[in-house]
Amino acid sequence: MDPVRNPYTPNAGARPPVLQGRDDLLEDFRLLVQRVADGRSDKGYVVTGLRGVGKTVLLGEFETIARDLGAVVVTYEVPKAPGSLTRRFPALARKALLEISPSARWGERARRAAAVIRGFKARFDPEGGWSIEYDVSDAMSVEGVADSGDFVADLADLVEALGEAARAEHRVVVFLIDEIQHLDSTELSALVIAKHRVNQRVLPVVFAGAGLPQLPAFTAEAQTYAERMFRWPQIGRLDDRAARLALLEPAARLGVGFEEAALAFITAYTEGYPYFLQEYGRAVWDAAEASPISLRDAEDTRTTVEAVLDQDFFSVRVAGLPDRELGYLRALASLGPGEHTPASVAAAMNRSGSASVGSATARLVSRGLIYSTRRGYVAFTVPQFDRYVRRTFG
Ligand SMILES: Nc1ncnc2c1ncn2[C@@H]1O[C@H](COP(=O)(O)OP(=O)(O)O)[C@@H](O)[C@H]1O
Ligand SMILES: [Mg+2]
């Protein structure tokens, strides 16, 4: 088939031609923004899931929904570097404030928020290259607000000031934060405490985000709030029907069909994982001579797909890994898919007890390769990673 017209999107964050199987989450989020716009409070919304299941794409849809509802949207992808949210937050708040209303039209609430942001920035990002300028004669004293030097307390004050400014302009501010697993426990706790403040004051501020399904490391104080004030829906593979439609519909729009057996073969191989479906769709489209795409086409493409996945998706994650950690991954992979105890990983490495692999476990979690599923268990963050490790490292 003509590669120029290939409709599949095997790229991180790339919106697929048809977004399958996520209607419930989109509806949840729409309702959340509408409720907050209507002066009610609601829980924050953090989508969790393995790599390549479509979290970033979903946040992109959330952004569209929020903007269509007239909200001010602030997006942020947390990089791996520690403390990044702490430094970046004042810039995000400033952007939100300028979008709530241009500085020439700022009323009392907005000017107060600007002063709070300015003070916050002076404490947490003194080196950053911008400042908030407005008529100083209008400056209000905001002593005692967001100036404790404690990020957790000050962030709540800042979000409150921003929320008041938004309410004065009848706007909703939506924060969309991707890769939240990179937040340190102070930053995560600060967001949770800020959300608590939003609820108490019924402010028009929405917190939503996405991240790996690892148990977030909250401070003890934030832990109970986190459970009460956020929903943590988990997404994963598409069910059989959605997976088939994710392959079928983009092709059908271009007048190309699939044999039933081809669909069955590809959905079985990919197990309905969105990124794998896109990669397979892309490859089989390019390889097929004619419509409908046949079982033969699907079978013949398998090695190509596997090579592409190894190259683009799997191998980058083990590049430069020390032997000790690679040994851990091999042991975990040898136990098959799903979750396992570090003690059984240790046993597979001819060691005894989880303590003997404790530091490797911690390093692999911080690299984002494995996560702790619940007390005492670990699993790969990447679907089918066990298969990859076995075929590559034996
Ligand atoms: N609901 C879906 N249906 C079909 N393909 C999807 C869906 N969601 C995501 N994808 C595809 O899956 C891949 C991974 O999406 P992405 O949002 O980057 O995942 P994550 O952020 O969870 O790692 C992309 O190629 C994207 O086009
Ligand atoms: Mg992502």
Side-chain angles (χ1 to χ4, degrees):
M1 239 61 71
D2 179 5
V4 173
R5 301 206 313 153
N6 194 319
Y8 300 97
T9 56
N11 302 301
R15 192 194 188 291
V18 272
L19 188 72
Q20 279 300 330
R22 305 297 187 221
D23 290 354
D24 292 355
L25 289 106
L26 296 173
E27 208 37 53
D28 278 352
F29 181 78
R30 175 187 304 281
L31 193 61
L32 163 59
V33 177
Q34 284 173 326
R35 283 178 51 81
V36 170
D38 198 39
R40 293 165 212 287
S41 64
D42 210 331
K43 294 192 175 186
Y45 201 77
V46 179
V47 180
T48 64
L50 303 181
R51 299 202 186 273
V53 296
K55 301 180 296 298
T56 299
V57 163
L58 207 50
L59 285 190
E61 294 302 293
F62 288 179
E63 179 173 2
T64 305
I65 289 171
R67 287 199 196 282
D68 287 350
L69 292 169
V72 169
V73 180
V74 181
T75 61
Y76 183 53
E77 182 183 325
V78 187
K80 235 176 175 168
S84 52
L85 185 78
T86 307
R87 288 189 304 277
R88 236 351 249 295
F89 205 86
L92 300 177
R94 169 180 180 261
K95 186 167 168 285
L97 185 60
L98 289 169
E99 216 181 302
I100 290 168
S101 69
S103 57
R105 282 197 9 233
W106 278 352
E108 187 195 326
R109 294 289 183 190
R111 287 201 299 275
R112 182 172 181 281
V116 170
I117 294 169
R118 191 166 55 177
F120 188 96
K121 177 174 185 299
R123 271 181 308 287
F124 296 109
D125 183 30
E127 261 100 72
W130 55 271
S131 66
I132 286 210
E133 300 301 341
Y134 64 99
D135 188 351
V136 233
S137 63
D138 282 343
M140 306 177 54
S141 165
V142 287
E143 222 171 293
V145 176
D147 67 357
S148 71
D150 167 4
F151 182 69
V152 175
D154 290 356
L155 188 83
D157 286 348
L158 171 55
V159 167
E160 179 176 347
L162 186 66
E164 300 277 9
R167 183 157 58 195
E169 295 290 332
H170 311 287
R171 301 293 296 276
V172 175
V173 178
V174 177
F175 288 98
L176 296 176
I177 304 178
D178 203 358
E179 306 283 357
I180 58 152
Q181 76 279 359
H182 291 154
L183 295 178
D184 66 32
S185 69
T186 307
E187 293 172 326
L188 206 49
S189 301
L191 285 177
V192 170
I193 303 292
K195 169 64 179 146
H196 184 234
R197 183 77 63 83
V198 164
N199 289 6
Q200 284 176 317
R201 307 269 191 274
V202 200
L203 297 166
V205 177
V206 171
F207 286 110
L212 292 178
Q214 65 206 11
L215 297 176
F218 294 111
T219 61
E221 188 196 8
Q223 184 71 54
T224 48
Y225 285 147
E227 281 149 23
R228 292 209 315 261
M229 287 181 309
F230 282 83
R231 275 190 283 171
W232 306 88
Q234 186 154 357
I235 62 170
R237 57 178 89 178
L238 302 178
D239 64 29
D240 195 52
R241 182 171 175 277
R244 282 164 188 251
L245 288 173
L247 288 166
L248 260 179
E249 271 191 34
R253 289 177 185 180
L254 301 173
V256 172
F258 277 84
E259 268 178 14
E260 171 58 31
L263 286 178
F265 184 87
I266 299 174
T267 50
Y269 176 83
T270 58
E271 300 180 303
Y273 282 106
Y275 169 67
F276 299 159
L277 285 167
Q278 297 300 334
E279 206 67 89
Y280 218 121
R282 156 78 57 98
V284 80
W285 172 285
D286 283 355
E289 299 280 343
S291 175
I293 293 171
S294 66
L295 173 62
R296 183 72 185 278
D297 294 326
E299 285 171 345
D300 289 352
T301 316
R302 194 190 138 144
T303 39
T304 313
V305 172
E306 208 155 85
V308 171
L309 290 179
D310 282 3
Q311 167 80 30
D312 293 357
F313 191 63
F314 294 123
S315 72
V316 287
R317 306 187 191 277
V318 293
L321 210 62
D323 282 351
R324 178 95 195 262
E325 288 162 46
L326 196 56
Y328 186 111
L329 295 185
R330 290 171 62 180
L332 180 56
S334 75
L335 302 172
E339 55 179 21
H340 303 282
T341 61
S344 43
V345 176
M349 296 170 79
N350 294 319
R351 295 165 193 268
S352 75
S354 59
S356 68
V357 292
S359 63
T361 305
R363 279 197 302 275
L364 288 166
V365 168
S366 92
R367 282 181 200 275
L369 266 167
I370 62 173
Y371 70 108
S372 42
T373 55
R374 54 195 159 95
R375 213 172 173 76
Y377 286 79
V378 292
F380 288 116
T381 58
V382 182
Q384 300 187 352
F385 204 70
D386 58 309
R387 246 159 67 170
Y388 162 76
V389 171
R390 286 196 304 274
R391 74 172 169 258
T392 311
F393 302 102

